[in-house]
Amino acid sequence: MHLVQLSAGHLGALANADVIQPASGMTSLAWLLVALPLLGAAILLFGGWRTNAFGPALATGLSWASFGLGALIFFAMLGRSDAERAQSLHLFSWVPAGSFQVEAGMLVDPLSMAFVLLVTFVGSLILVYSLGYMAHDPEKRRFFAFLNLFVAAMLLLVLADSYLLLYVGWEGVGLASYLLIGFWNHNPTFATAANKAFIANRVGDFGLTVAMMLMFATFGTVSFSGVNAAVGGANAASLTAIGLMLLLAACGKSAQFPLQSWLGDAMAGPTPVSALIHAATMVTAGVYLVVRSHVIFEASPTAQTFVVIVGAITLLFGAIVGCAKDDIKKALAASTMSQIGYMMLAAGLGPVGYAFAIFHLLNHGFFKAGMFLGAGSVMHGMDDQVDMRRFGNLSGAMKVTWVTFGLGWLAILGVPPFSGFWSKDKIIEAAFIGEGWRPWIFGFAALIGAGVTAFYMSRLFFMTFHGKKRWPKDAHPHESPRSMTIPMVVLAAGSAFMGLILGPTGAIQSWLEPVVGVHVEGESPVIAVPVLTTLTLLVVAAGLGLAWMRYWREEVPVVAPVGSLPTRAARQDLFQDAVNEAVLMRPGLHLTRSLVFFDNKGVDGAVGSVAALIGGSSSRLRRVQNGFVRSYALTMLFGVVVILGAVWVVQ
Amino acid sequence: MIASLSGLTGLTGLTGLSGLTGLPTEFVATTIDYGAIMPMLVIFATAMIGVLVEAFAPRSQRYVVQVSVALLGLLGALGAVIVGLDHQGSTLAGAVVMDGPALFLQGTIVVLAALSILAMAERFDGVGADAFTAQGASAPGSAQEAAAVRAGATTTEVFPLALFAVGGMMLFPAAGDLLTMFVALEVLSLPLYILSGLARRRRLLSQEASLKYFLLGAFSSAFFLFGSALLYGYAGSMNLGVIAKAIGTQSGMDGLLVPGVLLVLVGLLFKIGAVPFHSWTPDVYQGAPTPVTGFMAACTKVAAFGAILRFIYVGVAGSRWDWTAGLWAVAILTMVAGAVLAITQTDIKRLLAYSSIAHAGFVLTGVLAFDKVGISSVLFYLVAYGFSTIAAFAIVSMVRDDGAEATHLSQWAGLGKNHPVVAGAFAFLLLAFAGIPLTSGFTAKFAVFSAAVAHGATVLAVVGVLSSAIAAFVYVRIIVLMYFSEPAGESVHAVSPSIATTVAVSIGVLMTLALGIAPSPLLDLAARSSLFLP
């Protein structure tokens, strides 16, 4: 493979790390991580029906192969000292000409490896799950092809060594997500949901594109190492602009306020898609982007503050919406939004938060994916019912689902010793660090969020698995097949123990230190740590208790009661659609309509009206149908007059 | 018609004037560097041969002979362009300037024209070129037309006509003075007016398009001439170099300069379909025979942008503070209106027309960088867009419903199910139009926008990125339509093309891919070709 050239050139220095070595040994095969799933997607898409029989198994196998390779690279990396862990793999000179030079290359460092392992492991598990879940779907080959495409694009996103190549992966995951949300496109609402996701993501992509151009204009390069090295010499205004644009990009991809509206609708896609793309991996790409760009954000406190604000708003927003949703997947989506809000918040706090943002991201990848798969299993057993008011007392009928879901539930609540406790508690602690008003506002937002999270997740858990049976008459809930339950068990094991392994040992912090910099101890939260931990646990217990009273002990009505004003607002996603419609859609529609007015609709016999070109009077003009040459000529004349007039005035 | 006539009289009058003011005491024959103008000479000679073929070759052999002659001529012209690298400089008393951009654009036009000729030559199963009527002069639906069809008549004159247009296009970006530029403009436009009216199907629509294009073209030519006259009044010469010098020295005549510049630009902006001079684009693109539409969208745009670059960079850049605001407004309007209006289109050809309008706006942002990087990014963009657009229109001409082109979007539903290769190629081209990475469209957009950002036109780049986001919605919607919707009916299918169209589409798609993955050779070439000679 001549593509894999080792190149000693083009290696900048990370601002706070050591010189990145060219890839050696196992790491020089890193390109295969992306190539394997991509090959799977290509075979399945271009092979057509011929691959129907073996395609899904092949796709799953290639994804596992990618994980295996990722694990080998990981162990090779473990064997090196901290300073030598990051390695770069030069692929080819993408744009070596003229004034902008871009090398296509991969950056294999601890941060990207954490993502590689998460994406390939959870992704492969979900592919296995899909073997069972999609067994009867006539289009399942296409589904597996898209999932493989997604895995490849996501790996490219996290392994890229420049913003430009990251952007390729960024677009790739967006495309795969779009294709998968609309996978069951026979349902028009699903197609609409796909469109909504697409539009929100375009707004985000716009941010990334502008950020790249600003980087190019400011630093003359878009590679991570080049940008990081040049940040010191740039002026604050451009850094803030770049930071805000990157944040916009992150908001679009990670469903953060104010671009959060698409995630709930994206649940129209098949459940494994929700688990993989809209919970565990793709939606966390925004957090990755912010952490990866930490040098820029650290140089611009304004942009950093905006990150924290966005995170705090979203975590509360998602949590409140989650309290009122009766659709199990939409409730989980709201929860995803809220948890990513936590990660954003942590990522905006600076060096004290980066490691915990990524830690929470990894934990969340496991427990949320597990819960989504659990929800899929429940739907599978209940004939695709998603209304939690029609569930209840499923714990007896679906034992494995119940236990695995329960472990995920304890993890997200932050009950020790399950994984969520180790990361979320640390984020809350970090939010309380600082001076002035900031720790109080952000700290309490995170703390209250934890309580609300406990309430809505317990509500979801109790309504589904406990209380009285509220099943439809023809429902026969049953446990799902092995191919579905095994991935759930594995993910549940992860949600239970991963935090314990990585958290108290400090493994995750020391692992990420070479990338995100060393956090200097010294500052402590404005409230003492033991007090905070106790307070957090009390708030969580209160949320859990409230949910127990209302959704386990008391009867849950099958039809949702009208509810109070806040409840109704939360059901409507806090009116986000109404706001979007008023702010974005309506003016857009009007703009389109008024522009169409000048456009010609259809063509009619205009030939006879040539005379009007010379002698058109205003009364005739009023009757002019679009499509007439005279109106075109008048448009031109009008344009000339306006431009000349404008230039005249300007002069 | 009237405007065109007045244009012609203006032309002779002005020529007389320039002779008078020059006041040569003794007639000195200008030196002509034939090596420099050889590409154009080859094209015009080939076109003449085409006319003779039309007159003397037997009807049954005309098609084969015409296509071969045209392709050989274009090949020869490409060779002449390469030879012309050693003949750079001003010739014909400054009327023609062969420099890096001129040669680059001429080469581009020749290659794109060859692809267009291949697409025009598509016969499917008929006797003559499928897109063109049997007899242009017969009234639609008349007995005469029926007789022509029975007799197996074909309009093989489209090939020499196209070559005449190509000749004009090649002269356009190489014109050293405004008069030559005007002559080139007319030489390239007149054959296009005729070509637009020769569609085999929906002939009334086609003829109407032709007339509209002619009338509005004449109208815009009048603006161009008016502007030229004002600039002559300002500088005392039509020569772009002299005008540039006058801008540095002349003072107090800005009343002639600024309107002159803007009016000349109006004439040029018309050709690229910039808003508000775009109204003809959708109608003409829809009515013209589809391969001709592709030819216009690609080659005319390349030539007209070449002329805009030369006029601005060589001629009037010195006074740009006085009029760039107007051009900024045009660029913004063009990008936004093109993208927004594309959303509501239901006809694929009109949709691509609005897409081409939006692309014209993107290219304008590169022009407005006022820098060498801007020139090279524009050159690159034109090549990238040209290849994609010819292939796209060639594919449009292949999708048929009951023999006629299926241009309504609803007819494209589910195309991916029955014709995965055709739909796949089209989807790829749409992704290129949308500017998705790994296609030429992304590299091109990145080049022009970063040139704009680097030279103080950040606002334009932001509007550009926003409108490409809007436009991307349109393109992806078509992809979704092709792949995720149920087929509209059994009757819509993609006709298997002959080798000619297959080659044109394949080259277009492959170049779109190649320029996305390895754009460096062309970017290098564009950068080396971006120096204008005065």
Side-chain angles (χ1 to χ4, degrees), chain A residues 92-100 102 139 142 146 164 167-168 171 175 178-179 182-183 185-186 195 198-199 202-203 205-207 209-210 212-214 216-217 222 588 591-592 595-607 610 613-614 627-629 631-640 643-644 647-648 650-651, chain B residues 2 205 208 211-212 215-216 219-220 223 254 258-259 262-263 266 270 276-280 282-283 286 322-323 325-326 330 336-337 340-341 343-345 350 354 373 417 434-438 442-443 445-447 449-450 453-454 458 461-462 465-466 468-469 472-473 476-477 480 483-485 516-520 523-524 527:
Chain A
F92 60 99
S93 294
W94 187 4
V95 189
S99 58
F100 75 108
V102 183
E139 296 272 17
R142 210 157 51 93
F146 290 161
L164 196 63
Y167 184 66
V168 177
E171 288 285 331
L175 177 69
Y178 181 67
L179 293 171
F183 185 72
N185 55 295
H186 44 81
N195 279 344
F198 182 78
I199 292 167
R202 286 314 294 189
V203 178
D205 295 350
F206 160 76
T209 321
V210 174
M212 272 198 295
M213 282 171 193
L214 286 171
F216 182 68
V222 290
L591 181 66
T592 324
L595 279 170
V596 169
F597 177 75
F598 288 107
D599 177 36
N600 49 328
K601 282 290 199 188
V603 182
D604 31 15
V607 184
V610 177
L613 182 67
I614 303 145
F628 285 113
V629 174
S631 66
Y632 294 172
L634 267 169
T635 320
M636 282 177 64
L637 189 62
F638 183 72
V640 173
I643 291 174
L644 280 178
V647 170
W648 201 277
V650 170
Q651 277 192 319
Chain B
I2 290 164
L205 195 67
E208 183 187 322
L211 188 67
K212 273 184 190 169
L215 288 170
L216 293 171
F219 193 51
S220 76
F223 282 116
D254 281 5
V258 174
L262 286 172
L263 289 174
V266 167
F270 172 84
F277 317 111
H278 69 293
S279 331
W280 61 277
D283 287 15
Q286 186 186 19
D322 295 331
W323 46 261
V330 169
V336 173
V340 170
L341 284 172
I343 291 177
T344 50
Q345 298 308 313
R350 289 182 81 80
Y354 280 107
V373 185
K417 292 220 167 57
I436 303 295
L438 297 184
F442 175 75
T443 324
K445 279 212 178 79
F446 196 85
F449 291 155
S450 57
V453 170
T458 315
V462 169
V465 177
L466 265 181
S468 38
F473 178 74
V476 174
R477 207 185 54 177
V480 170
Y483 281 95
F484 292 131
S485 301
I517 294 173
S520 42
L523 277 171
D524 261 341

Side-chain angles (χ1 to χ4, degrees), chain A residues 106-130:
Chain A
M106 289 181 165
L107 176 62
V108 185
D109 69 355
L111 178 61
S112 54
M113 276 323 287
F115 270 87
V116 165
L117 291 178
L118 174 77
V119 171
T120 51
F121 185 66
V122 176
S124 304
L125 278 178
I126 285 170
L127 277 160
V128 171
Y129 177 91
S130 307

Side-chain angles (χ1 to χ4, degrees), chain A residues 439-504:
Chain A
W440 298 102
I441 300 278
F442 298 134
F444 273 105
L447 185 65
I448 294 167
V452 186
T453 306
F455 172 74
Y456 74 78
M457 283 312 296
S458 308
R459 170 180 178 270
L460 190 157
F461 188 66
F462 296 154
M463 276 174 91
T464 306
F465 293 103
H466 297 282
K468 287 225 172 76
K469 289 179 189 172
R470 302 179 298 275
W471 308 342
K473 282 197 195 77
D474 52 350
H476 304 286
H478 54 86
E479 189 54 88
S480 303
R482 219 30 98 61
S483 64
M484 289 168 69
T485 51
I486 291 176
M488 284 154 58
V489 170
V490 175
L491 287 172
S495 2
F497 303 118
M498 202 167 74
L500 202 57
I501 297 167
L502 296 177

